[in-house]
Amino acid sequence: FNIRYTFNMPQDLNFGLLENGPHINLIRDMATKCYTDSTIQAIWVGGSLASGTGDDYSDIDFRIAVEPSQLEHWANPNWEDYLPIASCGGTLMRFGGQALLHHLILEDGTILDFYVQDTARKNIEPAIVVIACKNEAFGQHLATFKNAAASLTHDITAASTRQFLVDYWITTHKEAKGLGRHYDYSHFVGLYHERVALLRAWHMDIVGKDINARFTIHVLGKLHEGLRDKLTKSQEDLLGLPTRTVEETVIAIEAIRKEMTRVGKVLSKRYNFDYPDDLEKVVLETWHGNKEILVKR
């Protein structure tokens, strides 16, 4: 992940804590190539590398700023001018008319998020390392970009936890629809949502914090940190139940429901809210009333 491609480096480039971190050779060489482009007003790095928490598997969150009239050029740049390693594929994302992002995989396997914004935009993120800035006014603007990261976990509240359980029972109720329509090659989608809910419930029970957020790699890392070495053997087995057949799928759904009931009732007592017994009862009665039909093929 750290192949070196050497160019004559301008003295104005400053890498700060990136200097001894992962991907520094690639970052240095990209910054050197970008610095020679007179339209680029500033170069900086964000993400985990800028916070000092990155590793060899981290994306490179590489940022540049250009004048608004130059932004559209970056929708399809000549990457040979800016990358020391060729890209083998990527995705372009736009953020209004002021920024765009190329999510790239380089030929050495590095994941590069090459972000381009105009000098009028403000891009708040938890940490940045400014490598170079040619524009004094934008430099003052750039200094305001850093802002403390929002916590991935938060305090548990009775209302949100009860709603979480209501949402779970509504979601799992739809499993009958998929099975009843014989969507036998897509049940893993429903079970993904079931297992995500289960992991969140375990996190609330074991850690005492909610982790209600989109399951990015960072959220998964926080979840792993909270649950590591704290799940029982039966809980770990539950996560790995096979779903190769309709019969196995039904076993997995019912096992997750049983555990969600257990954890949900623990949370309802701990945080003093009414467990949604009526909703659970309807879901289970409907399920068992139609179960023979649902599994028949």
Side-chain angles (χ1 to χ4, degrees):
F1 287 119
N2 216 9
I3 299 172
R4 183 68 190 274
Y5 296 78
T6 306
F7 301 89
N8 294 323
M9 186 177 73
Q11 293 182 347
D12 291 340
L13 301 185
N14 181 6
F15 297 92
L17 63 78
L18 301 173
E19 191 67 56
N20 297 312
H23 302 303
I24 180 54
N25 293 332
L26 181 52
I27 293 170
R28 183 186 291 112
D29 292 343
M30 278 195 298
T32 301
K33 288 171 84 66
C34 288
Y35 191 79
T36 63
D37 186 330
S38 61
T39 68
I40 295 177
Q41 302 298 304
I43 304 167
W44 69 102
V45 168
S48 59
L49 297 179
S51 68
T53 60
D55 57 26
D56 288 341
Y57 299 99
S58 295
D59 299 0
I60 300 176
D61 296 296
F62 194 82
R63 323 291 199 204
I64 66 170
V66 296
E67 295 294 343
S69 62
Q70 296 291 324
L71 184 66
E72 193 55 32
H73 161 77
W74 287 92
N76 187 28
N78 180 7
W79 286 117
E80 290 184 3
D81 293 340
Y82 305 103
L83 302 182
I85 306 174
S87 166
C88 56
T91 300
L92 171 64
M93 292 171 272
R94 291 182 180 271
F95 304 93
Q98 289 189 293
L100 53 85
L101 174 71
H102 291 279
H103 186 60
L104 306 173
I105 305 295
L106 305 186
E107 286 187 343
D108 70 343
T110 302
I111 301 172
L112 171 63
D113 280 339
F114 197 108
Y115 170 85
V116 188
Q117 69 162 77
D118 71 30
T119 51
R121 181 181 173 90
K122 187 169 184 175
N123 180 40
I124 297 296
E125 52 188 323
I128 63 172
V129 173
V130 179
I131 296 173
C133 186
K134 305 172 185 177
N135 181 320
E136 183 177 352
F138 182 73
Q140 294 175 356
H141 185 48
L142 183 57
T144 69
F145 282 20
K146 184 178 177 181
N147 196 20
S151 176
L152 295 176
T153 62
H154 54 85
D155 291 339
I156 295 171
T157 67
S160 65
T161 306
R162 188 180 191 281
Q163 188 60 51
F164 159 63
L165 293 168
V166 168
D167 292 343
Y168 165 74
W169 283 106
I170 291 173
T171 298
T172 192
H173 183 52
K174 295 178 181 179
E175 297 282 21
K177 182 183 293 188
L179 289 171
R181 293 176 177 174
H182 296 189
Y183 294 165
D184 296 340
Y185 298 109
S186 58
H187 56 254
F188 62 88
V189 177
L191 280 163
Y192 163 79
H193 292 292
E194 299 247 6
R195 287 174 171 131
V196 164
L198 185 58
L199 287 168
R200 181 181 168 191
W202 282 340
H203 193 274
M204 285 192 280
D205 181 29
I206 294 170
V207 181
K209 291 283 186 177
D210 199 354
I211 194 163
N212 180 19
R214 184 171 63 90
F215 268 40
T216 65
I217 192 69
H218 303 293
V219 170
L220 288 172
K222 194 68 175 178
L223 189 72
H224 174 75
E225 177 186 310
L227 297 180
R228 181 173 50 200
D229 300 327
K230 294 177 183 175
L231 296 181
T232 66
K233 177 65 164 54
S234 62
Q235 286 173 322
E236 290 179 347
D237 290 344
L238 177 54
L239 285 177
L241 285 175
T243 56
R244 297 165 296 189
T245 65
V246 174
E247 290 76 17
E248 288 181 344
T249 299
V250 166
I251 290 172
I253 291 169
E254 292 181 341
I256 292 172
R257 287 174 175 175
K258 183 177 179 180
E259 177 66 358
M260 284 294 291
T261 297
R262 183 193 71 78
V263 179
K265 289 184 179 293
V266 168
L267 294 173
S268 71
K269 291 179 181 178
R270 186 180 302 164
Y271 297 100
N272 193 30
F273 63 87
D274 293 330
Y275 182 84
D277 288 295
D278 290 345
L279 176 57
E280 177 185 308
K281 181 180 178 182
V282 168
V283 172
L284 295 181
E285 286 181 348
T286 303
W287 174 264
H288 289 296
N290 294 280
K291 185 176 174 178
E292 185 176 338
I293 299 172
L294 295 176
V295 299
K296 188 175 181 180
R297 293 293 182 269

